[in-house]
Amino acid sequence: MIYFDNVSKLYDDGRSAALQRVTFQVAPKEFVSIVGHSGAGKTTLLKMIIAEDKPTEGQVFFESIDIHSIPRTKLPHYRRKIGTVFQDFKLLPNKTAYENIAFAMEANGRSDEEIAENVPQALALVDLDDKAWNFPNELSGGEKQRVAIARAIVNQPDIIVADEPTGNLDPIATYEVVQILRKINDLGTTVIMTTHNKGVIDELGRRVITMNEGQIVRDDSTGKYVL
Amino acid sequence: MLTAIRRITRAGFVGFWRSAYVSLASIFVITITLFVIGSTMFIDQLLATSLQTIQKKVDINVYFEPNAPQEEIDALKKAVEALPEVAHVTYTSREDALIKYREKNKNNEIALQALSELDENPLGADIAIQAKETSQYEGIARFIEEQRELSTADTPIINKVTYNDNKESIDTLTSIINAVERVSFIIMVVLIIAAVLITFNTIRLAIYTAREEIAIMRLVGASNMFIRGPFMVQGVMYGLVGGIFAILIIYPILTWLGPRTEAFFEFNLLTYFISNFSYIFLTLVGIGVVLGLVSSVLAVARYLRV
């Protein structure tokens, strides 16, 4: 479903590379973790998938579409197929938890009835029914991340892209977030996640891609965190 | 489409309330801008009307000899009236001149007594000429001078032309009027440009604080119009509220100023404000709305580029 074909990303000076000839494939319903040191190219890789960044060489495909040939006006459409979760949550500060999730649906052109039905469901899935009308600054880090996950899944995307989703969380919140992602994956959504957290990887026991200096150095189907 | 418009409008209103501090700052700046523009309109109007009033007071008087034949007076009057520069000619007959003289000197016993000693009316008829522009008096005066020289009559009909007496004060007045108009125009242009730039920058800053949100909205897959829309609604609201505030500030000021301008310029600003209220209101609110809208669109455009 996601296919990286010999992708390289060079910085402007033309010498240092964020990615070097990266080729891999992600099948539907897979849960893939990408690990590596800071600067190994994990985030650049995810940015390619959500069309935030462009490769200097090679192509990235979503199903059969070359992501970077999508015209800019069509990008919002494409992005609606992907749910994104970030280390810093990226919630809209002036909207409540409910409105943050509803916004993703409104932007998607969903009807009011669908929104009224699906937003509470998404909130229930991340166990935040009682915090629906709180603003982000009234939520803990773990709660914010759960709102972000609810927002990412509410449009039933084909794939969830999570960049260090547990990076700012304490161990308990980390555990909760990973459990939620696993649950979403069990329900049939592809998940691609980057992480630094050895415990998370060992606990998951799913496919692990290890990166170093912009290259894939390991790709294990039931990986451990090896660095 | 309708749903989208409804959602954008609602998001605009909600954003307006929830970022009340930013909204207040933007409204404050737009209010000041519109106040400056409004004041400019009033000062301009005041200046224009008072200049007209002053110009009406300037004229050339041609005094005829008491024995000047009526046909020749009429001929000259007609010739002057035919000049394109002439706005208005007022004729005062010998009899009317006498009545005016009596009226003017009704407390002056000696003058009245001297008048009654004479058998006949010692006063001649006169015409008062008003030009369309103060700068045209010189040409008119020259024309009358030529008429006087070309006159074939044995005795001159014109006793006196006041232009040469008034020439200096007319010239001074003309240059003062021109200078005031030029200077006030420059000041107004500078003030308006400054006010518009300040408004634009304030709204840009307001949206700068929202740049993170704009980035998030893009990532969630919101279309550009869906992101831009609420900011446009907010910009329009800033303009609307700012326009109303500006009017609310201008009204009490004019209530105080009106009678005073009436006494000094013979032009009541309050009356002008009330009788042209809808025009002034729509102009100010319209400028406010356009300013808010354009500033918002330009400011958001920066952050919509990937």
Side-chain angles (χ1 to χ4, degrees):
Chain A
M1 119 174 282
I2 297 281
Y3 178 50
F4 274 66
D5 182 17
N6 216 8
V7 173
S8 295
K9 172 75 184 180
L10 298 173
Y11 286 122
D12 289 338
D13 62 10
R15 269 185 291 165
S16 51
L19 294 178
Q20 291 182 55
R21 293 179 299 283
V22 169
T23 301
F24 72 101
Q25 199 167 341
V26 178
K29 300 186 184 178
E30 251 191 307
F31 193 133
V32 181
S33 302
I34 300 170
V35 300
H37 292 298
S38 295
K42 309 186 295 290
T43 301
T44 312
L45 204 85
L46 293 194
K47 279 187 174 170
M48 301 265 170
I49 300 176
I50 56 176
E52 268 272 280
D53 208 343
K54 274 186 180 166
T56 14
E57 266 172 60
Q59 286 162 305
V60 184
F61 291 93
F62 177 87
E63 283 157 357
S64 57
I65 309 157
D66 177 358
I67 293 170
H68 300 97
S69 68
I70 300 172
R72 206 151 70 187
T73 49
K74 292 281 192 312
L75 271 185
H77 269 279
Y78 166 69
R79 289 194 174 128
R80 288 171 204 163
K81 297 182 185 186
I82 305 172
T84 41
V85 179
F86 298 93
Q87 180 173 5
D88 55 352
F89 322 125
K90 295 208 190 294
L91 297 177
L92 299 169
N94 278 331
K95 293 189 191 291
T96 63
Y98 183 97
E99 289 167 345
N100 261 285
I101 301 166
F103 180 83
M105 295 191 76
E106 287 181 356
N108 225 320
R110 302 298 189 85
S111 72
D112 292 347
E113 294 74 28
E114 282 179 295
I115 292 174
E117 195 185 325
N118 293 358
V119 174
Q121 283 173 1
L123 277 165
L125 187 79
V126 297
D127 201 19
L128 274 179
D129 324 52
D130 53 334
K131 298 279 170 96
W133 301 107
N134 286 74
F135 286 94
N137 61 8
E138 299 162 349
L139 300 173
S140 72
E143 287 168 339
K144 281 184 211 171
Q145 196 58 296
R146 274 140 66 194
V147 174
I149 293 174
R151 178 181 64 186
I153 59 167
V154 77
N155 283 320
Q156 284 125 25
D158 303 321
I159 183 165
I160 298 272
V161 171
D163 190 13
E164 303 269 5
T166 61
N168 279 345
L169 304 180
D170 62 50
I172 296 174
T174 298
Y175 177 78
E176 286 170 350
V177 162
V178 171
Q179 289 311 311
I180 291 168
L181 287 174
R182 192 208 288 265
K183 186 155 77 179
I184 293 163
N185 180 243
D186 289 342
L187 292 170
T189 308
T190 313
V191 177
I192 301 179
M193 173 179 79
T194 66
T195 186
H196 273 309
N197 194 319
K198 185 175 187 322
V200 168
I201 298 299
D202 295 346
E203 144 84 19
L204 273 169
R206 306 283 180 99
R207 179 179 173 194
V208 177
I209 293 175
T210 308
M211 293 191 71
N212 193 27
E213 291 179 354
Q215 286 173 309
I216 293 180
V217 291
R218 290 177 70 103
D219 190 345
D220 310 296
S221 57
T222 50
K224 292 264 178 193
Y225 190 90
V226 186
L227 268 177
Chain B
M1 186 64 196
L2 224 63
T3 319
I5 290 172
R6 182 171 52 78
R7 283 171 179 168
I8 285 169
T9 314
R10 199 190 54 206
F13 273 87
V14 169
F16 182 85
W17 281 120
R18 287 195 184 156
S19 44
Y21 186 75
V22 170
S23 301
L24 215 67
S26 306
I27 289 172
F28 180 71
V29 169
I30 290 205
T31 304
I32 289 180
T33 302
L34 294 180
F35 179 75
V36 168
I37 293 174
S39 308
T40 305
M41 285 165 65
F42 288 115
I43 292 171
D44 202 40
Q45 193 61 38
L46 194 65
L47 223 53
T49 337
S50 56
L51 292 185
Q52 272 173 20
T53 320
I54 294 171
Q55 280 171 356
K56 269 188 200 139
K57 286 184 179 162
V58 176
D59 55 11
I60 297 181
N61 285 292
V62 180
Y63 295 98
F64 296 100
E65 296 289 349
N67 56 1
Q70 189 65 38
E71 312 86 70
E72 291 196 32
I73 294 175
D74 288 344
L76 184 70
K77 177 171 178 268
K78 206 166 271 174
V80 170
E81 273 172 340
L83 293 175
E85 304 97 315
V86 171
H88 196 69
V89 177
T90 320
Y91 171 71
T92 310
S93 69
R94 293 184 64 194
E95 292 72 32
D96 290 339
L98 187 63
I99 293 168
K100 264 196 205 162
Y101 182 82
R102 282 220 168 96
E103 183 62 27
K104 212 167 151 188
N105 294 291
K106 65 181 172 204
N107 296 323
N108 187 342
E109 281 298 323
I110 299 165
L112 290 179
Q113 222 163 20
L115 199 62
S116 56
E117 302 264 309
L118 295 168
D119 304 337
E120 61 173 321
N121 181 357
L123 300 169
D126 69 85
I127 55 174
I129 305 159
Q130 282 196 343
K132 285 174 184 150
E133 303 278 341
T134 41
S135 57
Q136 293 163 338
Y137 282 108
E138 183 146 23
I140 296 170
R142 211 179 300 124
F143 174 78
I144 292 166
E145 213 51 50
E146 280 165 14
Q147 295 297 308
R148 200 208 299 236
E149 280 160 17
L150 289 173
S151 172
T152 49
D154 314 334
T155 49
I157 60 159
I158 295 174
N159 172 294
K160 195 170 85 170
V161 179
T162 55
Y163 174 73
N164 288 326
D165 306 348
N166 293 349
K167 185 177 189 308
E168 216 149 282
S169 50
I170 290 175
D171 283 351
T172 317
L173 191 64
T174 310
S175 58
I176 289 175
I177 288 170
N178 288 338
V180 167
E181 272 183 340
R182 218 172 301 139
V183 170
S184 69
F185 178 75
I186 292 169
I187 292 175
M188 285 161 190
V189 167
V190 170
L191 273 179
I192 289 174
I193 289 176
V196 167
L197 284 180
I198 292 170
T199 307
F200 178 69
N201 259 324
T202 307
I203 292 185
R204 219 169 65 161
L205 277 178
I207 292 176
Y208 178 77
T209 61
R211 70 197 183 287
E212 273 286 303
E213 290 175 58
I214 294 172
I216 297 169
M217 291 173 178
R218 269 192 13 235
L219 284 175
V220 173
S223 66
N224 282 355
M225 200 53 220
F226 202 76
I227 297 172
R228 198 187 289 129
F231 289 104
M232 288 164 69
V233 172
Q234 283 180 40
V236 168
M237 286 176 71
Y238 297 156
L240 265 176
V241 178
I244 293 168
F245 278 8
I247 295 278
L248 288 180
I249 295 173
I250 288 171
Y251 181 74
I253 292 178
L254 289 189
T255 313
W256 178 81
L257 214 58
R260 284 162 181 78
T261 56
E262 169 111 68
F264 194 76
F265 296 99
E266 298 174 22
F267 175 68
N268 191 330
L269 273 179
L270 185 66
T271 325
Y272 170 76
F273 175 69
I274 292 168
S275 55
N276 293 286
F277 182 77
S278 49
Y279 162 73
I280 293 167
F281 181 81
L282 288 178
T283 308
L284 288 187
V285 170
I287 292 173
V289 166
V290 170
L291 207 56
L293 190 66
V294 170
S295 309
S296 296
V297 169
L298 290 179
V300 177
R302 263 179 86 98
Y303 303 113
L304 283 181
R305 277 178 225 131
V306 178

